[in-house]
Amino acid sequence: AGLYAEISHERGRSGKQVTEKRCRVGGRVKVMPLEEMNSFFDARVKDYEEYVRQEADGAQDYYRETAKLIPKRKRLSLVDLGVGTGLELDEIFQQNPGVTVTGIDISEGMLRKLREKNRKRMEQVQAVKGNFFEYDFGIERYDGAVSVMSMHYFEPQAKLELYRKLGRSLKKGGFYLETDLYAPNGEYEQSCAAENERLRREQGIRGGFYHYRIPCTVERQAKLFFAAGFSSVRVCWACGNTVILMAKK
């Protein structure tokens, strides 16, 4: 199947996961502790854009491909979950200069760079520091929503509740674009989740958001969208384990 393949399309590619962060200290290999999400990204603002453009499958293309899927019309309002430094906005504004965006991110360092890059567009870009799981999206406030490489750190149940709130915030006919890393199969998904639980247990971590990938399969993700109340889900683009999904209200 090609572009806009049905959601049931099987993906048999093998994925890659670095299960532990390690460094060598005094000749010994030491497992690095998991980092809280905001601290992780605050510490990497300087090199983030260069890193992320090389790190994932399709990294040279998925920002542009995401932007191309957003309708080109005036006064389009978007909410961006995990906006970071706004790499997707760079492409979105080229495709649709009149769009207005509420960008939410937990990292103040990332948002600072976002504001610097968009000094001439601050009437169009509202940068919100916060946890998008706790954000009040309102009711039928946005034409669409987008997230790029933001969701593969979170457990399915937490995402389900988020998607329900997000769906209520979309206007009739609204859409949600999720560009992310997905597990190639259920075994890989379960392995990542189990390793995350092990690391948290060994490091005494209870709750909170930490930087560790726990991607789910495309099929499981689609079930979450339907359970949250979206009426349709489509695969719009894929490269390796990077996939763009569009869910419509």
Side-chain angles (χ1 to χ4, degrees), residues 86-133:
L87 282 169
E88 59 267 31
L89 299 189
D90 297 345
E91 298 289 343
I92 290 171
F93 282 130
Q94 288 190 37
Q95 299 281 340
N96 193 340
V99 69
T100 60
V101 182
T102 299
I104 309 167
D105 204 281
I106 201 169
S107 166
E108 179 58 38
M110 292 285 177
L111 291 177
R112 190 179 303 116
K113 186 164 185 177
L114 171 70
R115 296 185 189 102
E116 291 172 357
K117 290 170 57 179
N118 291 278
R119 285 191 298 269
K120 297 181 179 180
R121 294 186 182 274
M122 290 316 296
E123 291 185 357
Q124 294 175 253
V125 180
Q126 179 187 9
V128 178
K129 182 183 184 301
N131 176 351
F132 48 67
F133 285 93

mmCIF file of all heavy atoms in Angstrom, residues 86-133:
data_model
loop_
_atom_site.group_PDB
_atom_site.id
_atom_site.type_symbol
_atom_site.label_atom_id
_atom_site.label_comp_id
_atom_site.label_asym_id
_atom_site.label_seq_id
_atom_site.Cartn_x
_atom_site.Cartn_y
_atom_site.Cartn_z
ATOM 1 N N GLY A 86 9.763 24.576 17.401
ATOM 2 C CA GLY A 86 8.882 24.940 16.290
ATOM 3 C C GLY A 86 9.353 24.508 14.920
ATOM 4 O O GLY A 86 9.034 25.160 13.924
ATOM 5 N N LEU A 87 10.067 23.392 14.835
ATOM 6 C CA LEU A 87 10.525 22.936 13.525
ATOM 7 C C LEU A 87 9.357 22.683 12.572
ATOM 8 O O LEU A 87 9.440 23.003 11.378
ATOM 9 C CB LEU A 87 11.369 21.669 13.673
ATOM 10 C CG LEU A 87 12.810 21.883 14.142
ATOM 11 C CD1 LEU A 87 13.459 20.565 14.516
ATOM 12 C CD2 LEU A 87 13.621 22.574 13.044
ATOM 13 N N GLU A 88 8.268 22.119 13.089
ATOM 14 C CA GLU A 88 7.114 21.907 12.220
ATOM 15 C C GLU A 88 6.467 23.220 11.819
ATOM 16 O O GLU A 88 5.939 23.353 10.714
ATOM 17 C CB GLU A 88 6.079 20.986 12.886
ATOM 18 C CG GLU A 88 5.538 21.465 14.200
ATOM 19 C CD GLU A 88 6.323 20.921 15.388
ATOM 20 O OE1 GLU A 88 7.538 20.702 15.244
ATOM 21 O OE2 GLU A 88 5.705 20.715 16.445
ATOM 22 N N LEU A 89 6.533 24.219 12.701
ATOM 23 C CA LEU A 89 5.949 25.522 12.364
ATOM 24 C C LEU A 89 6.718 26.196 11.231
ATOM 25 O O LEU A 89 6.130 26.925 10.430
ATOM 26 C CB LEU A 89 5.915 26.430 13.585
ATOM 27 C CG LEU A 89 5.096 25.940 14.781
ATOM 28 C CD1 LEU A 89 4.973 27.043 15.824
ATOM 29 C CD2 LEU A 89 3.731 25.446 14.355
ATOM 30 N N ASP A 90 8.025 25.974 11.173
ATOM 31 C CA ASP A 90 8.816 26.528 10.064
ATOM 32 C C ASP A 90 8.213 26.106 8.729
ATOM 33 O O ASP A 90 8.102 26.906 7.794
ATOM 34 C CB ASP A 90 10.268 26.036 10.144
ATOM 35 C CG ASP A 90 10.982 26.503 11.397
ATOM 36 O OD1 ASP A 90 10.474 27.423 12.073
ATOM 37 O OD2 ASP A 90 12.050 25.944 11.710
ATOM 38 N N GLU A 91 7.825 24.834 8.643
ATOM 39 C CA GLU A 91 7.237 24.310 7.402
ATOM 40 C C GLU A 91 5.774 24.716 7.258
ATOM 41 O O GLU A 91 5.314 25.042 6.159
ATOM 42 C CB GLU A 91 7.359 22.786 7.385
ATOM 43 C CG GLU A 91 8.781 22.263 7.394
ATOM 44 C CD GLU A 91 9.508 22.506 6.081
ATOM 45 O OE1 GLU A 91 8.833 22.785 5.063
ATOM 46 O OE2 GLU A 91 10.744 22.417 6.065
ATOM 47 N N ILE A 92 5.031 24.699 8.367
ATOM 48 C CA ILE A 92 3.606 25.043 8.306
ATOM 49 C C ILE A 92 3.409 26.472 7.831
ATOM 50 O O ILE A 92 2.535 26.755 6.999
ATOM 51 C CB ILE A 92 2.945 24.820 9.678
ATOM 52 C CG1 ILE A 92 2.854 23.315 9.971
ATOM 53 C CG2 ILE A 92 1.554 25.461 9.730
ATOM 54 C CD1 ILE A 92 2.425 22.977 11.385
ATOM 55 N N PHE A 93 4.214 27.407 8.317
ATOM 56 C CA PHE A 93 4.067 28.802 7.912
ATOM 57 C C PHE A 93 4.415 28.998 6.435
ATOM 58 O O PHE A 93 3.874 29.895 5.790
ATOM 59 C CB PHE A 93 4.916 29.710 8.787
ATOM 60 C CG PHE A 93 4.322 29.978 10.144
ATOM 61 C CD1 PHE A 93 5.074 29.811 11.293
ATOM 62 C CD2 PHE A 93 3.010 30.397 10.269
ATOM 63 C CE1 PHE A 93 4.523 30.046 12.544
ATOM 64 C CE2 PHE A 93 2.447 30.642 11.511
ATOM 65 C CZ PHE A 93 3.205 30.457 12.661
ATOM 66 N N GLN A 94 5.303 28.179 5.907
ATOM 67 C CA GLN A 94 5.586 28.268 4.474
ATOM 68 C C GLN A 94 4.378 27.825 3.652
ATOM 69 O O GLN A 94 4.087 28.389 2.598
ATOM 70 C CB GLN A 94 6.798 27.394 4.124
ATOM 71 C CG GLN A 94 8.123 27.956 4.610
ATOM 72 C CD GLN A 94 9.303 27.187 4.044
ATOM 73 O OE1 GLN A 94 9.287 26.748 2.898
ATOM 74 N NE2 GLN A 94 10.339 27.016 4.851
ATOM 75 N N GLN A 95 3.687 26.809 4.137
ATOM 76 C CA GLN A 95 2.525 26.281 3.428
ATOM 77 C C GLN A 95 1.284 27.159 3.654
ATOM 78 O O GLN A 95 0.444 27.308 2.764
ATOM 79 C CB GLN A 95 2.225 24.857 3.912
ATOM 80 C CG GLN A 95 3.333 23.854 3.675
ATOM 81 C CD GLN A 95 3.365 23.348 2.249
ATOM 82 O OE1 GLN A 95 2.376 23.434 1.524
ATOM 83 N NE2 GLN A 95 4.499 22.828 1.820
ATOM 84 N N ASN A 96 1.151 27.714 4.862
ATOM 85 C CA ASN A 96 -0.053 28.437 5.238
ATOM 86 C C ASN A 96 0.329 29.615 6.135
ATOM 87 O O ASN A 96 0.255 29.529 7.362
ATOM 88 C CB ASN A 96 -1.002 27.486 5.977
ATOM 89 C CG ASN A 96 -2.400 28.051 6.122
ATOM 90 O OD1 ASN A 96 -2.600 29.264 6.009
ATOM 91 N ND2 ASN A 96 -3.364 27.194 6.378
ATOM 92 N N PRO A 97 0.741 30.739 5.559
ATOM 93 C CA PRO A 97 1.267 31.873 6.329
ATOM 94 C C PRO A 97 0.282 32.484 7.321
ATOM 95 O O PRO A 97 0.700 33.133 8.271
ATOM 96 C CB PRO A 97 1.639 32.892 5.240
ATOM 97 C CG PRO A 97 1.793 32.098 3.992
ATOM 98 C CD PRO A 97 0.806 30.993 4.103
ATOM 99 N N GLY A 98 -1.025 32.272 7.115
ATOM 100 C CA GLY A 98 -2.001 32.921 7.972
ATOM 101 C C GLY A 98 -2.435 32.121 9.180
ATOM 102 O O GLY A 98 -3.282 32.576 9.957
ATOM 103 N N VAL A 99 -1.893 30.932 9.378
ATOM 104 C CA VAL A 99 -2.327 30.074 10.476
ATOM 105 C C VAL A 99 -1.959 30.679 11.827
ATOM 106 O O VAL A 99 -0.955 31.378 11.960
ATOM 107 C CB VAL A 99 -1.696 28.671 10.330
ATOM 108 C CG1 VAL A 99 -0.207 28.707 10.566
ATOM 109 C CG2 VAL A 99 -2.349 27.670 11.270
ATOM 110 N N THR A 100 -2.790 30.461 12.837
ATOM 111 C CA THR A 100 -2.470 30.846 14.211
ATOM 112 C C THR A 100 -2.262 29.573 15.022
ATOM 113 O O THR A 100 -2.969 28.572 14.826
ATOM 114 C CB THR A 100 -3.590 31.683 14.846
ATOM 115 O OG1 THR A 100 -4.808 30.932 14.863
ATOM 116 C CG2 THR A 100 -3.792 32.979 14.089
ATOM 117 N N VAL A 101 -1.295 29.608 15.934
ATOM 118 C CA VAL A 101 -0.873 28.395 16.641
ATOM 119 C C VAL A 101 -0.751 28.645 18.135
ATOM 120 O O VAL A 101 -0.141 29.636 18.561
ATOM 121 C CB VAL A 101 0.490 27.887 16.114
ATOM 122 C CG1 VAL A 101 0.889 26.597 16.840
ATOM 123 C CG2 VAL A 101 0.450 27.665 14.615
ATOM 124 N N THR A 102 -1.326 27.740 18.911
ATOM 125 C CA THR A 102 -1.044 27.657 20.340
ATOM 126 C C THR A 102 -0.068 26.504 20.521
ATOM 127 O O THR A 102 -0.428 25.347 20.274
ATOM 128 C CB THR A 102 -2.321 27.395 21.159
ATOM 129 O OG1 THR A 102 -3.241 28.475 20.962
ATOM 130 C CG2 THR A 102 -1.998 27.272 22.639
ATOM 131 N N GLY A 103 1.160 26.810 20.874
ATOM 132 C CA GLY A 103 2.197 25.795 21.018
ATOM 133 C C GLY A 103 2.488 25.509 22.479
ATOM 134 O O GLY A 103 2.857 26.422 23.223
ATOM 135 N N ILE A 104 2.311 24.272 22.897
ATOM 136 C CA ILE A 104 2.487 23.884 24.295
ATOM 137 C C ILE A 104 3.735 23.025 24.434
ATOM 138 O O ILE A 104 3.940 22.083 23.663
ATOM 139 C CB ILE A 104 1.266 23.099 24.800
ATOM 140 C CG1 ILE A 104 -0.022 23.858 24.503
ATOM 141 C CG2 ILE A 104 1.387 22.802 26.292
ATOM 142 C CD1 ILE A 104 -1.271 23.026 24.672
ATOM 143 N N ASP A 105 4.562 23.351 25.421
ATOM 144 C CA ASP A 105 5.755 22.547 25.667
ATOM 145 C C ASP A 105 6.155 22.664 27.131
ATOM 146 O O ASP A 105 5.970 23.722 27.757
ATOM 147 C CB ASP A 105 6.911 22.988 24.766
ATOM 148 C CG ASP A 105 7.923 21.874 24.558
ATOM 149 O OD1 ASP A 105 8.757 21.637 25.459
ATOM 150 O OD2 ASP A 105 7.869 21.210 23.502
ATOM 151 N N ILE A 106 6.746 21.601 27.659
ATOM 152 C CA ILE A 106 7.143 21.576 29.059
ATOM 153 C C ILE A 106 8.500 22.229 29.290
ATOM 154 O O ILE A 106 8.878 22.544 30.411
ATOM 155 C CB ILE A 106 7.149 20.114 29.565
ATOM 156 C CG1 ILE A 106 7.039 20.079 31.093
ATOM 157 C CG2 ILE A 106 8.372 19.363 29.054
ATOM 158 C CD1 ILE A 106 6.771 18.699 31.639
ATOM 159 N N SER A 107 9.238 22.466 28.212
ATOM 160 C CA SER A 107 10.600 23.007 28.300
ATOM 161 C C SER A 107 10.627 24.503 28.011
ATOM 162 O O SER A 107 10.336 24.933 26.893
ATOM 163 C CB SER A 107 11.530 22.279 27.315
ATOM 164 O OG SER A 107 12.743 22.972 27.158
ATOM 165 N N GLU A 108 10.992 25.285 29.001
ATOM 166 C CA GLU A 108 11.105 26.729 28.800
ATOM 167 C C GLU A 108 12.224 27.063 27.832
ATOM 168 O O GLU A 108 12.130 28.015 27.057
ATOM 169 C CB GLU A 108 11.335 27.432 30.136
ATOM 170 C CG GLU A 108 11.500 28.945 30.025
ATOM 171 C CD GLU A 108 10.313 29.630 29.372
ATOM 172 O OE1 GLU A 108 9.159 29.205 29.620
ATOM 173 O OE2 GLU A 108 10.528 30.594 28.607
ATOM 174 N N GLY A 109 13.298 26.289 27.867
ATOM 175 C CA GLY A 109 14.400 26.528 26.942
ATOM 176 C C GLY A 109 13.974 26.379 25.494
ATOM 177 O O GLY A 109 14.344 27.190 24.635
ATOM 178 N N MET A 110 13.196 25.346 25.200
ATOM 179 C CA MET A 110 12.687 25.152 23.846
ATOM 180 C C MET A 110 11.775 26.297 23.435
ATOM 181 O O MET A 110 11.861 26.823 22.318
ATOM 182 C CB MET A 110 11.923 23.824 23.764
ATOM 183 C CG MET A 110 12.786 22.598 23.912
ATOM 184 S SD MET A 110 13.737 22.265 22.418
ATOM 185 C CE MET A 110 14.694 20.845 22.953
ATOM 186 N N LEU A 111 10.895 26.722 24.335
ATOM 187 C CA LEU A 111 9.970 27.802 24.009
ATOM 188 C C LEU A 111 10.687 29.129 23.808
ATOM 189 O O LEU A 111 10.274 29.944 22.988
ATOM 190 C CB LEU A 111 8.925 27.936 25.118
ATOM 191 C CG LEU A 111 7.929 26.785 25.228
ATOM 192 C CD1 LEU A 111 7.000 26.999 26.408
ATOM 193 C CD2 LEU A 111 7.119 26.608 23.939
ATOM 194 N N ARG A 112 11.769 29.335 24.541
ATOM 195 C CA ARG A 112 12.545 30.561 24.364
ATOM 196 C C ARG A 112 13.077 30.640 22.932
ATOM 197 O O ARG A 112 13.025 31.691 22.279
ATOM 198 C CB ARG A 112 13.686 30.610 25.374
ATOM 199 C CG ARG A 112 14.414 31.951 25.428
ATOM 200 C CD ARG A 112 15.532 31.926 26.469
ATOM 201 N NE ARG A 112 14.999 31.574 27.790
ATOM 202 C CZ ARG A 112 15.330 30.469 28.460
ATOM 203 N NH1 ARG A 112 16.191 29.605 27.942
ATOM 204 N NH2 ARG A 112 14.809 30.226 29.644
ATOM 205 N N LYS A 113 13.579 29.520 22.440
ATOM 206 C CA LYS A 113 14.088 29.504 21.067
ATOM 207 C C LYS A 113 12.941 29.658 20.070
ATOM 208 O O LYS A 113 13.089 30.329 19.041
ATOM 209 C CB LYS A 113 14.854 28.217 20.791
ATOM 210 C CG LYS A 113 15.533 28.214 19.427
ATOM 211 C CD LYS A 113 16.587 27.142 19.314
ATOM 212 C CE LYS A 113 17.328 27.242 17.993
ATOM 213 N NZ LYS A 113 18.421 26.246 17.881
ATOM 214 N N LEU A 114 11.798 29.060 20.362
ATOM 215 C CA LEU A 114 10.620 29.217 19.506
ATOM 216 C C LEU A 114 10.248 30.689 19.370
ATOM 217 O O LEU A 114 9.985 31.175 18.261
ATOM 218 C CB LEU A 114 9.449 28.435 20.097
ATOM 219 C CG LEU A 114 8.085 28.661 19.458
ATOM 220 C CD1 LEU A 114 8.033 28.061 18.061
ATOM 221 C CD2 LEU A 114 6.967 28.078 20.327
ATOM 222 N N ARG A 115 10.239 31.396 20.493
ATOM 223 C CA ARG A 115 9.892 32.824 20.461
ATOM 224 C C ARG A 115 10.921 33.626 19.668
ATOM 225 O O ARG A 115 10.571 34.536 18.912
ATOM 226 C CB ARG A 115 9.782 33.364 21.881
ATOM 227 C CG ARG A 115 8.652 32.743 22.701
ATOM 228 C CD ARG A 115 8.538 33.418 24.062
ATOM 229 N NE ARG A 115 7.619 32.712 24.944
ATOM 230 C CZ ARG A 115 8.007 31.900 25.926
ATOM 231 N NH1 ARG A 115 9.297 31.709 26.158
ATOM 232 N NH2 ARG A 115 7.113 31.299 26.677
ATOM 233 N N GLU A 116 12.199 33.295 19.833
ATOM 234 C CA GLU A 116 13.256 33.999 19.103
ATOM 235 C C GLU A 116 13.090 33.811 17.599
ATOM 236 O O GLU A 116 13.249 34.759 16.821
ATOM 237 C CB GLU A 116 14.621 33.482 19.551
ATOM 238 C CG GLU A 116 15.000 33.859 20.971
ATOM 239 C CD GLU A 116 16.271 33.166 21.427
ATOM 240 O OE1 GLU A 116 16.819 32.339 20.642
ATOM 241 O OE2 GLU A 116 16.721 33.418 22.565
ATOM 242 N N LYS A 117 12.763 32.592 17.185
ATOM 243 C CA LYS A 117 12.618 32.303 15.759
ATOM 244 C C LYS A 117 11.389 32.976 15.146
ATOM 245 O O LYS A 117 11.345 33.212 13.941
ATOM 246 C CB LYS A 117 12.524 30.788 15.545
ATOM 247 C CG LYS A 117 13.812 30.029 15.792
ATOM 248 C CD LYS A 117 13.570 28.529 15.810
ATOM 249 C CE LYS A 117 12.939 28.035 14.528
ATOM 250 N NZ LYS A 117 12.732 26.562 14.546
ATOM 251 N N ASN A 118 10.376 33.237 15.975
ATOM 252 C CA ASN A 118 9.108 33.744 15.464
ATOM 253 C C ASN A 118 8.795 35.141 15.994
ATOM 254 O O ASN A 118 7.622 35.477 16.210
ATOM 255 C CB ASN A 118 7.989 32.767 15.826
ATOM 256 C CG ASN A 118 8.085 31.458 15.065
ATOM 257 O OD1 ASN A 118 7.648 31.346 13.926
ATOM 258 N ND2 ASN A 118 8.666 30.453 15.703
ATOM 259 N N ARG A 119 9.833 35.949 16.169
ATOM 260 C CA ARG A 119 9.631 37.307 16.691
ATOM 261 C C ARG A 119 8.649 38.106 15.835
ATOM 262 O O ARG A 119 7.877 38.909 16.358
ATOM 263 C CB ARG A 119 10.976 38.046 16.763
ATOM 264 C CG ARG A 119 11.881 37.611 17.894
ATOM 265 C CD ARG A 119 13.048 38.564 18.051
ATOM 266 N NE ARG A 119 13.876 38.585 16.864
ATOM 267 C CZ ARG A 119 14.932 37.793 16.671
ATOM 268 N NH1 ARG A 119 15.271 36.912 17.597
ATOM 269 N NH2 ARG A 119 15.652 37.876 15.568
ATOM 270 N N LYS A 120 8.686 37.897 14.533
ATOM 271 C CA LYS A 120 7.808 38.651 13.644
ATOM 272 C C LYS A 120 6.412 38.039 13.535
ATOM 273 O O LYS A 120 5.543 38.596 12.859
ATOM 274 C CB LYS A 120 8.437 38.745 12.247
ATOM 275 C CG LYS A 120 9.760 39.508 12.229
ATOM 276 C CD LYS A 120 10.316 39.594 10.827
ATOM 277 C CE LYS A 120 11.610 40.379 10.794
ATOM 278 N NZ LYS A 120 12.172 40.480 9.408
ATOM 279 N N ARG A 121 6.204 36.909 14.194
ATOM 280 C CA ARG A 121 4.913 36.234 14.107
ATOM 281 C C ARG A 121 4.251 36.059 15.470
ATOM 282 O O ARG A 121 3.366 35.217 15.618
ATOM 283 C CB ARG A 121 5.093 34.840 13.481
ATOM 284 C CG ARG A 121 5.538 34.832 12.036
ATOM 285 C CD ARG A 121 5.521 33.416 11.503
ATOM 286 N NE ARG A 121 5.980 33.314 10.135
ATOM 287 C CZ ARG A 121 5.218 33.471 9.055
ATOM 288 N NH1 ARG A 121 3.937 33.759 9.213
ATOM 289 N NH2 ARG A 121 5.719 33.349 7.853
ATOM 290 N N MET A 122 4.657 36.818 16.464
ATOM 291 C CA MET A 122 4.162 36.575 17.805
ATOM 292 C C MET A 122 2.659 36.817 17.947
ATOM 293 O O MET A 122 2.029 36.321 18.879
ATOM 294 C CB MET A 122 4.933 37.403 18.827
ATOM 295 C CG MET A 122 6.376 36.924 19.027
ATOM 296 S SD MET A 122 6.555 35.112 19.170
ATOM 297 C CE MET A 122 5.643 34.770 20.673
ATOM 298 N N GLU A 123 2.064 37.552 17.021
ATOM 299 C CA GLU A 123 0.612 37.684 17.045
ATOM 300 C C GLU A 123 -0.063 36.390 16.589
ATOM 301 O O GLU A 123 -1.246 36.168 16.870
ATOM 302 C CB GLU A 123 0.169 38.839 16.138
ATOM 303 C CG GLU A 123 0.568 40.215 16.656
ATOM 304 C CD GLU A 123 0.015 41.322 15.793
ATOM 305 O OE1 GLU A 123 -0.638 41.000 14.766
ATOM 306 O OE2 GLU A 123 0.229 42.502 16.119
ATOM 307 N N GLN A 124 0.706 35.543 15.910
ATOM 308 C CA GLN A 124 0.164 34.271 15.430
ATOM 309 C C GLN A 124 0.564 33.084 16.298
ATOM 310 O O GLN A 124 -0.049 32.026 16.203
ATOM 311 C CB GLN A 124 0.661 33.996 13.990
ATOM 312 C CG GLN A 124 0.142 34.952 12.953
ATOM 313 C CD GLN A 124 0.771 34.694 11.601
ATOM 314 O OE1 GLN A 124 1.603 35.464 11.138
ATOM 315 N NE2 GLN A 124 0.387 33.599 10.959
ATOM 316 N N VAL A 125 1.587 33.239 17.115
ATOM 317 C CA VAL A 125 2.112 32.126 17.901
ATOM 318 C C VAL A 125 1.986 32.419 19.391
ATOM 319 O O VAL A 125 2.601 33.353 19.910
ATOM 320 C CB VAL A 125 3.598 31.855 17.559
ATOM 321 C CG1 VAL A 125 4.124 30.692 18.406
ATOM 322 C CG2 VAL A 125 3.763 31.571 16.072
ATOM 323 N N GLN A 126 1.186 31.631 20.056
ATOM 324 C CA GLN A 126 1.079 31.709 21.503
ATOM 325 C C GLN A 126 1.869 30.550 22.096
ATOM 326 O O GLN A 126 1.498 29.380 21.930
ATOM 327 C CB GLN A 126 -0.379 31.631 21.966
ATOM 328 C CG GLN A 126 -0.532 31.683 23.481
ATOM 329 C CD GLN A 126 -1.957 31.438 23.928
ATOM 330 O OE1 GLN A 126 -2.819 31.064 23.143
ATOM 331 N NE2 GLN A 126 -2.198 31.635 25.219
ATOM 332 N N ALA A 127 2.975 30.848 22.772
ATOM 333 C CA ALA A 127 3.828 29.818 23.364
ATOM 334 C C ALA A 127 3.426 29.609 24.818
ATOM 335 O O ALA A 127 3.470 30.543 25.623
ATOM 336 C CB ALA A 127 5.291 30.232 23.275
ATOM 337 N N VAL A 128 3.023 28.392 25.145
ATOM 338 C CA VAL A 128 2.519 28.081 26.479
ATOM 339 C C VAL A 128 3.440 27.061 27.146
ATOM 340 O O VAL A 128 3.612 25.948 26.629
ATOM 341 C CB VAL A 128 1.088 27.506 26.412
ATOM 342 C CG1 VAL A 128 0.599 27.132 27.812
ATOM 343 C CG2 VAL A 128 0.149 28.495 25.742
ATOM 344 N N LYS A 129 4.030 27.441 28.276
ATOM 345 C CA LYS A 129 4.840 26.493 29.028
ATOM 346 C C LYS A 129 3.924 25.672 29.928
ATOM 347 O O LYS A 129 3.190 26.211 30.741
ATOM 348 C CB LYS A 129 5.898 27.186 29.888
ATOM 349 C CG LYS A 129 6.795 26.203 30.646
ATOM 350 C CD LYS A 129 7.782 26.925 31.545
ATOM 351 C CE LYS A 129 8.730 25.917 32.203
ATOM 352 N NZ LYS A 129 7.996 24.912 33.015
ATOM 353 N N GLY A 130 3.965 24.370 29.761
ATOM 354 C CA GLY A 130 3.124 23.535 30.598
ATOM 355 C C GLY A 130 3.061 22.101 30.113
ATOM 356 O O GLY A 130 3.644 21.729 29.094
ATOM 357 N N ASN A 131 2.361 21.313 30.865
ATOM 358 C CA ASN A 131 2.144 19.901 30.594
ATOM 359 C C ASN A 131 0.853 19.769 29.793
ATOM 360 O O ASN A 131 -0.226 20.083 30.301
ATOM 361 C CB ASN A 131 2.049 19.167 31.935
ATOM 362 C CG ASN A 131 1.728 17.700 31.797
ATOM 363 O OD1 ASN A 131 1.413 17.215 30.714
ATOM 364 N ND2 ASN A 131 1.805 16.987 32.893
ATOM 365 N N PHE A 132 0.937 19.321 28.552
ATOM 366 C CA PHE A 132 -0.281 19.300 27.738
ATOM 367 C C PHE A 132 -1.305 18.280 28.231
ATOM 368 O O PHE A 132 -2.472 18.334 27.860
ATOM 369 C CB PHE A 132 0.008 19.127 26.240
ATOM 370 C CG PHE A 132 0.954 18.035 25.851
ATOM 371 C CD1 PHE A 132 0.638 16.703 26.028
ATOM 372 C CD2 PHE A 132 2.178 18.344 25.269
ATOM 373 C CE1 PHE A 132 1.497 15.688 25.641
ATOM 374 C CE2 PHE A 132 3.065 17.343 24.881
ATOM 375 C CZ PHE A 132 2.721 16.011 25.061
ATOM 376 N N PHE A 133 -0.914 17.368 29.090
ATOM 377 C CA PHE A 133 -1.894 16.460 29.690
ATOM 378 C C PHE A 133 -2.807 17.203 30.655
ATOM 379 O O PHE A 133 -3.927 16.767 30.922
ATOM 380 C CB PHE A 133 -1.193 15.312 30.413
ATOM 381 C CG PHE A 133 -0.609 14.280 29.488
ATOM 382 C CD1 PHE A 133 0.714 14.375 29.080
ATOM 383 C CD2 PHE A 133 -1.371 13.230 29.018
ATOM 384 C CE1 PHE A 133 1.267 13.427 28.221
ATOM 385 C CE2 PHE A 133 -0.839 12.283 28.153
ATOM 386 C CZ PHE A 133 0.484 12.388 27.750
#
